[in-house]
């Protein structure tokens, strides 16, 4: 079977449609369809099936995608080794959520300096369920989840846990709560909240507070940037939940939350059989997370 056609099948598994594969691979949809038909003939069994107006993988197609992962990973490792002989360099595409990048990326870049590995990093701020599909475009996706959420389990995704970061309550420096170091969850039932969008770990903690108090949280603003949230809190327009290492604004006070589990877990998602350079960067992420946790 041709490796290029196996790559197209894997792209279809990742992206879900012929059109999306065509866009990603800079081909026409008809060319993608033709190549997948050739791969079907090579396999000797149907790999795709019509499902209403859409096309889906058959059981045989899903099985072949797993083998395609192994073949493509082996080819990429060989290519990386040959590139190393030619230039001594390897490239790793890394996607990270913004606050995680602020905490871990500087340490990773320090560790890869002079190693022959080039890290090309990009921000990816999506909910946990949408992180693994981004492996279609990146070698490593660093994501986060509420600690009570089960880690992703899929045959084409490997999960490396990096660290646990507590989520704290942040109040204005002049708030009535600012003279405390911790706060009970029941004390927060009547507060105005500044929160993130739904589906992110911090908002999951807010839902847990609601379950404990029996009071729906009164969310007055929703923002994704923790710096913006802290500025709003510093101006005394509400309180917020912020991951501990992201609290930096001088006008806020951080309080330990008591009465509910509140933390997010950082994970590095990769494909099985990753290249040596990818393995090295995952190791650097683990080391950076260990260093961050000791601050």
């Amino acid at each position: 079977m041709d490796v290029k056609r196996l790559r197209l099948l894997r792209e279809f598994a990742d992206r879900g449609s012929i059109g999306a594969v065509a866009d990603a691979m800079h081909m026409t949809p008809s060319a993608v369809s033709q190549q997948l038909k050739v791969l079907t003939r090579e396999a000797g069994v149907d790999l795709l099936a019509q499902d209403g107006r859409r096309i889906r993988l058959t059981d045989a197609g899903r099985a072949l995608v797993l083998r395609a992962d192994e073949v493509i990973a082996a080819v990429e490792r060989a290519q990386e080794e040959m590139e190393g002989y030619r230039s001594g360099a390897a490239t790793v595409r890394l996607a990270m959520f913004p606050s995680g990048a602020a905490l871990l990326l500087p340490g990773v870049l320090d560790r890869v300096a002079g190693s022959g590995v080039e890290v090309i990093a990009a921000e990816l701020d999506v909910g946990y369920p949408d992180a693994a599909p981004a492996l279609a475009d990146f070698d490593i996706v660093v994501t986060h989840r509420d600690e009570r959420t089960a880690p992703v389990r899929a045959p084409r995704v490997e999960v490396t846990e990096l660290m646990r970061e507590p989520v704290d309550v942040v109040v204005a420096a002049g708030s009535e709560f600012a003279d405390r170091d911790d706060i009970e969850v029941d004390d927060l039932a009547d507060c105005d909240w500044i929160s993130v969008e739904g589906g992110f770990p911090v908002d999951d903690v807010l839902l847990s507070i609601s379950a404990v108090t029996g009071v729906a949280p009164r969310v007055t603003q929703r923002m994704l940037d923790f710096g913006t949230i802290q500025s709003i809190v510093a101006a005394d327009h509400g309180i917020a939940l912020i991951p501990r290492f992201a609290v930096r604004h001088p006008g806020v006070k951080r309080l330990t939350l008591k009465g509910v589990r509140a933390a997010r877990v950082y994970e590095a998602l990769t494909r099985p059989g990753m290249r040596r350079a990818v393995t090295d960067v995952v190791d650097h992420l683990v080391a950076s997370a260990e260093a961050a946790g000791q601050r």
Side-chain angles (χ1 to χ4, degrees):
M1 297 178 192
D2 184 85
V3 174
K4 292 181 180 178
R5 287 191 276 272
L6 288 174
R7 194 179 295 276
L8 288 177
L9 184 69
R10 186 173 78 165
E11 289 288 329
F12 180 82
D14 287 338
R15 302 182 189 278
S17 73
I18 296 294
V21 175
D23 290 341
M25 303 299 287
H26 306 290
M27 299 170 64
T28 64
S30 60
V32 172
S33 294
Q34 182 61 34
Q35 290 300 304
L36 290 176
K37 288 178 182 177
V38 173
L39 181 63
T40 294
R41 289 199 296 270
E42 291 175 340
V45 62
D46 288 338
L47 303 176
L48 302 171
Q50 198 73 34
D51 186 8
R53 294 185 177 182
R54 299 178 63 82
I55 298 174
R56 60 171 176 81
L57 289 168
T58 63
D59 290 343
R62 286 190 289 272
L64 186 57
V65 168
L66 296 178
R67 298 294 170 253
D69 280 338
E70 297 171 3
V71 171
I72 293 167
V75 169
E76 289 179 345
R77 288 195 298 269
Q79 290 172 335
E80 180 183 69
E81 187 173 355
M82 295 303 101
E83 179 61 27
Y85 282 112
R86 289 192 296 271
S87 66
T91 299
V92 175
R93 300 164 300 164
L94 171 64
M96 305 183 75
F97 60 97
S99 57
L103 185 65
L104 302 182
L105 185 56
V108 171
L109 296 178
D110 286 344
R111 288 173 172 82
V112 300
S115 69
V117 175
E118 179 186 10
V119 172
I120 300 177
E123 286 190 351
L124 182 69
D125 206 2
V126 297
Y128 188 65
D130 296 320
L135 288 170
D137 298 307
F138 297 97
D139 298 303
I140 306 169
V141 174
V142 176
T143 184
H144 53 156
R145 60 175 172 84
D146 184 275
E147 66 176 346
R148 289 153 302 189
T149 300
V152 61
R153 288 185 174 86
R156 300 182 60 231
V157 180
E158 289 192 355
V159 179
T160 301
E161 185 172 316
L162 301 176
M163 64 183 293
R164 176 188 182 275
E165 180 181 19
V167 173
D168 295 320
V169 176
V170 173
V171 301
S175 162
E176 61 179 307
F177 299 128
D179 60 344
R180 307 185 187 186
D181 293 322
D182 53 53
I183 192 165
E184 294 285 346
V185 66
D186 289 336
D187 293 336
L188 305 173
D190 196 40
C191 291
D192 289 337
W193 288 92
I194 316 300
S195 189
V196 298
E197 298 290 340
F200 288 83
V202 170
D203 199 61
D204 291 339
V205 175
L206 194 58
L207 294 177
S208 295
I209 291 175
S210 174
V212 170
T213 62
V215 178
R218 190 168 59 244
V219 178
T220 59
Q221 304 289 341
R222 288 190 181 272
M223 301 284 170
L224 280 179
D225 179 70
F226 288 134
T228 302
I229 292 174
Q230 290 174 69
S231 294
I232 297 171
V233 171
D236 207 16
H237 291 294
I239 66 174
L241 292 167
I242 302 287
R244 181 165 297 175
F245 301 127
V247 179
R248 296 188 178 90
H249 197 290
V252 302
K253 173 73 180 293
R254 177 175 61 80
L255 310 178
T256 301
L257 180 61
K258 301 177 70 175
V260 66
R261 292 169 58 189
R264 64 176 178 175
V265 175
Y266 291 41
E267 293 176 345
L269 309 183
T270 55
R271 292 285 189 222
M274 53 190 141
R275 297 177 285 129
R276 173 61 183 273
V278 177
T279 302
D280 289 345
V281 173
V282 171
D283 289 342
H284 295 326
L285 285 163
V286 171
S288 293
E290 289 176 351
Q294 294 169 2
R295 291 180 186 178

